[in-house]
Amino acid sequence: MNTPSSLTLRRPDDWHVHLRDGAMLAAVIAATARDFSRAIVMPNLKPPVTTAALAAAYRERIRALVPSDCDFTPLMTCYLTDTVDPADLRAGHADGVFTAAKLYPAGATTNSEAGVTELARIARVLETMEAIGMPLLVHGEVVDGAVDVFDREAVFIERVLAPLRGRHPALKIVLEHVTTREGVAFVREAAGPVGATITPHHLLINRNAMFAGGIRPHMYCLPVAKREIHRLALREAACSGDPRFFLGTDSAPHLRSLKEHDCGCAGVFNAPSALACYAQVFAEERALDRLEAFASLNGPAFYGLPPNERRVTLECCEDFATPDLPVDGEAVRVFRPAGALRWRVT
Ligand code: DOR
Ligand code: ZN
């Protein structure tokens, strides 16, 4: 089959995005709202979104900044801490404020200091979530400094995720931004409701990209990109049509000055280029006929939501430009692959 030069699909959703707050939110929201109908909004603000009241207020700040010609629904998440209140979580879910809750192992990534120190501390919360069908979204890395940074996801699966699956067999779990073949295998083989999001950057780069000719801070995110065998496993999973794998950009903007820094922040900002990047990957894998499942059907099915009725069209181009996004007199670098980006949203 020749690669088509354009492609129309149901509008996708982004099942994992960092929209931030204040000036950064104002700068980045249009990129997500333009290309996605819904998005699961990460709660790792400062301070984190730990209650239904905080989530409802944050949702209003997002809605107020969505461009008027965009039809976009933010889906909110609760940042789990050792002391999160199961009653508030349950009420927030019943009221439609919380769609899911996010587990950050304390210290695993950006603004995760208030995260969970030990799963045993939130056993009642997890029981509640299992009972009400509320998905648990997992940052799947151990924080044990003795574990090599490239092994932290695989070790997390063995030490934390597999036992958790056993203790809560009906809990809906999403292994967010899966980066390893071990992660892919776990999701494929796990009993019960388990899914995974896959980012555009983990499909396009391996760990060499962080060191290409020098240190490349804009290629640094967490979980960090892994070896080529892992990237290939992610591509295979995304393009397989397996309903457990779905689109989640993990778009995570940081100012250039904070990326190009003595201690640069983790995060790749890809919202403006994400759909183009996914299309490029699926075209390279000769799997464009499966892009709609990955981008627009598998996620809603996992979350128990209807797929979007509106459509989006992508078309081939010479090279989709990805200029820096201005923010507050500074700029945020937009992710793009090493060569040309040969797709764009029309
Ligand atoms: O690279 C990352 N950036 N990984 C995360 O888990 C958090 C995110 C952020 O908030 O910047
Ligand atoms: Zn994230």
Side-chain angles (χ1 to χ4, degrees), residues 16-18 42 44 102 104 109 139 176-177 222-223 249-252:
H16 183 131
V17 69
H18 299 267
M42 288 297 129
N44 62 334
K102 180 73 189 274
Y104 287 106
T109 186
H139 183 106
E176 298 292 340
H177 39 56
L222 288 171
T249 64
D250 198 18
S251 182

Coordinates of all heavy atoms in Angstrom, one line a residue, residues 16-18 42 44 102 104 109 139 176-177 222-223 249-252, ligand 2:
H16 N -2.8 12.4 28.4 CA -1.7 12.8 29.4 C -1.1 14.1 29.0 O -0.2 14.1 28.1 CB -0.7 11.6 29.5 CG 0.4 11.9 30.6 ND1 0.7 11.0 31.5 CD2 1.1 13.0 30.9 CE1 1.7 11.5 32.3 NE2 1.9 12.7 32.0
V17 N -1.4 15.1 29.7 CA -0.8 16.4 29.3 C -0.6 17.3 30.5 O -1.3 17.2 31.5 CB -1.6 17.2 28.2 CG1 -2.9 17.7 28.8 CG2 -0.8 18.3 27.6
H18 N 0.5 18.1 30.5 CA 0.8 19.1 31.5 C 0.5 20.5 30.9 O 1.2 20.9 30.0 CB 2.3 19.0 31.9 CG 2.7 17.7 32.5 ND1 2.7 17.5 33.8 CD2 3.0 16.6 31.9 CE1 3.0 16.2 34.1 NE2 3.3 15.6 32.9
M42 N -2.6 16.8 33.9 CA -1.8 16.4 35.1 C -1.9 17.4 36.2 O -2.0 18.6 36.0 CB -0.4 16.2 34.6 CG -0.2 14.9 33.8 SD -0.7 13.4 34.7 CE -1.8 12.7 33.6
N44 N 0.3 18.1 38.7 CA 1.6 18.4 39.4 C 1.9 19.9 39.4 O 3.0 20.3 38.9 CB 2.8 17.6 38.9 CG 3.1 17.8 37.4 OD1 2.2 18.1 36.6 ND2 4.3 17.5 37.1
K102 N -3.7 10.5 40.0 CA -2.3 10.3 39.5 C -1.4 9.9 40.7 O -1.3 10.6 41.7 CB -1.8 11.6 38.9 CG -0.3 11.5 38.3 CD -0.2 10.7 37.1 CE 1.2 10.4 36.7 NZ 1.8 11.4 35.9
Y104 N 2.3 9.7 41.8 CA 3.7 10.0 41.6 C 4.4 9.5 42.8 O 4.2 9.9 43.9 CB 3.9 11.6 41.6 CG 3.5 12.3 40.4 CD1 2.3 13.1 40.5 CD2 4.2 12.2 39.2 CE1 1.9 13.8 39.3 CE2 3.8 12.9 38.1 CZ 2.6 13.7 38.2 OH 2.2 14.4 37.1
T109 N 9.8 12.8 39.9 CA 9.9 13.7 38.7 C 9.5 15.1 39.1 O 9.4 15.4 40.3 CB 9.0 13.1 37.6 OG1 9.2 14.0 36.4 CG2 7.5 13.1 38.0
H139 N 2.9 7.1 37.4 CA 4.3 7.4 36.9 C 5.1 6.2 37.4 O 5.4 6.1 38.6 CB 4.8 8.7 37.5 CG 6.2 9.1 37.0 ND1 6.4 10.1 36.1 CD2 7.4 8.5 37.2 CE1 7.7 10.1 35.8 NE2 8.3 9.2 36.5
E176 N 1.5 5.3 32.6 CA 1.7 6.5 31.8 C 3.1 6.5 31.1 O 4.1 5.9 31.7 CB 1.5 7.7 32.7 CG 0.2 7.9 33.3 CD -0.9 8.1 32.3 OE1 -0.6 8.6 31.2 OE2 -2.1 7.9 32.6
H177 N 3.1 7.1 30.0 CA 4.4 7.2 29.2 C 5.3 6.0 29.3 O 6.4 6.1 29.8 CB 5.1 8.5 29.5 CG 5.1 8.9 31.0 ND1 5.6 8.1 32.0 CD2 4.7 10.0 31.6 CE1 5.4 8.7 33.2 NE2 4.9 9.9 33.0
L222 N 11.3 12.6 31.8 CA 11.2 11.4 32.7 C 9.9 10.7 32.5 O 8.9 11.4 32.4 CB 11.3 11.8 34.2 CG 12.7 12.2 34.6 CD1 12.7 12.9 36.0 CD2 13.7 11.0 34.6
P223 N 9.8 9.4 32.3 CA 11.0 8.5 32.3 C 11.9 8.9 31.0 O 11.4 9.2 30.0 CB 10.4 7.1 32.1 CG 9.0 7.2 32.5 CD 8.6 8.6 32.2
T249 N 0.5 12.5 25.2 CA 1.7 13.2 24.7 C 2.7 13.4 25.8 O 3.9 13.5 25.5 CB 1.3 14.6 24.2 OG1 0.8 15.4 25.2 CG2 0.3 14.5 23.0
D250 N 2.3 13.5 27.1 CA 3.2 14.0 28.1 C 3.8 15.3 27.8 O 5.0 15.6 28.2 CB 4.2 12.9 28.5 CG 4.8 13.2 29.9 OD1 4.2 14.0 30.7 OD2 5.9 12.7 30.2
S251 N 3.1 16.1 27.0 CA 3.7 17.5 26.7 C 3.9 18.2 28.0 O 3.0 18.3 28.8 CB 2.6 18.2 25.8 OG 3.1 19.5 25.5
A252 N 5.1 18.7 28.2 CA 5.5 19.2 29.5 C 6.4 20.4 29.3 O 7.6 20.3 29.3 CB 6.2 18.1 30.4
Ligands
ZN2 ZN 3.6 13.6 32.6

